[in-house]
Amino acid sequence: MAEEAAAPTSPRNLGHCVRMPHTETDPAAFAVLLTPCTWNIEEYGTDLPEVDQQHQRLFKIIHHLIQVTHDFVVGAGDTEASALDRAALPIARELKEYTRYHFAEEEQHFGATAYPGKDAHVAKHRAFEQWVDKLIAQLTDKACPLTLMVSSLKFLKNWL
C-alpha cells in the first residue's frame, strides 16, 4: 500500500489568493481539511451494497480533489497557479457526472421503498448539483484556485 503524504500545516505563500481565515489562524484546521475522508460501513453504510459501492466511489472522487489540492499546496508537481485549476477541473467534472448518476439511482430507490425524508434528501441532491456546477464554472474561469479548493473541500467534508 502506498504511503500517503502528510497533510501540510499551512498553505504555501500564494499572495492574495490565500484568504482563508479559518486556516490562517488555525494550521491544524488546514491540515484536517487536507486529510483524506475515509468511507466506513459503520458511519456511512446503508445496508444496500450497490448504494454503498456508489458512496465509496464518491469518496474516491472527493479524495482525488483533496490529493490534487494537497499536492499543489506542498509544491509537488506544477506550482503555477493555474495548475490547480487544470488538475481539479476534470475531477470536478467527474464528480458532477457521477453524482448525477448516483442521485438518480438513489432517488429511484427512494420511490420504490417509500423512503422517509425523501423530499428533504432530494432537495439536498439538487443543492449539491448546483454547487458542483458552480465549482466547475469557477474552475473554468480560473477564480483563485487555492481559495476555491479550500472552500470546496470544507463544503464537501461537511456534506459527507
Side-chain angles (χ1 to χ4, degrees):
M1 178 180 228
E3 186 175 317
E4 292 187 30
T9 56
S10 62
R12 63 188 169 111
N13 184 6
L14 295 172
H16 74 283
C17 281
V18 180
R19 294 288 176 256
M20 304 167 286
H22 65 282
T23 57
E24 287 178 331
T25 58
D26 186 0
F30 189 75
V32 167
L33 191 61
L34 293 179
T35 301
C37 300
T38 304
W39 185 91
N40 64 71
I41 198 159
E42 295 80 22
E43 190 171 356
Y44 300 106
T46 65
D47 294 326
L48 300 167
E50 183 177 325
V51 173
D52 287 346
Q53 288 175 343
Q54 291 172 9
H55 287 165
Q56 290 172 47
R57 170 88 187 272
L58 288 170
F59 269 75
K60 287 178 183 177
I61 296 167
I62 292 167
H63 174 74
H64 197 185
L65 279 173
I66 292 168
Q67 190 63 51
V68 298
T69 305
H70 173 273
D71 290 351
F72 180 77
V73 169
V74 299
D78 192 346
T79 58
E80 183 182 316
S82 63
L84 186 55
D85 294 319
R86 287 192 309 270
L89 185 56
I91 302 166
R93 287 181 175 143
E94 179 184 8
L95 181 62
K96 175 182 179 171
E97 181 181 314
Y98 196 76
T99 54
R100 302 239 171 171
Y101 161 75
H102 167 66
F103 291 165
E105 292 284 313
E106 200 171 70
E107 290 166 18
Q108 186 177 28
H109 176 73
F110 292 165
T113 61
Y115 178 77
K118 171 190 169 190
D119 292 340
H121 200 102
V122 169
K124 288 179 183 180
H125 286 175
R126 296 297 85 79
F128 187 85
E129 289 171 344
Q130 290 174 353
W131 177 85
V132 172
D133 287 340
K134 183 178 176 183
L135 171 64
I136 290 169
Q138 290 174 318
L139 286 168
T140 302
D141 291 342
K142 300 181 181 356
C144 207
L146 184 58
T147 302
L148 174 61
M149 289 310 299
V150 167
S151 66
S152 296
L153 295 179
K154 185 176 181 183
F155 171 85
L156 287 167
K157 284 194 167 193
N158 287 331
W159 187 78
L160 291 173

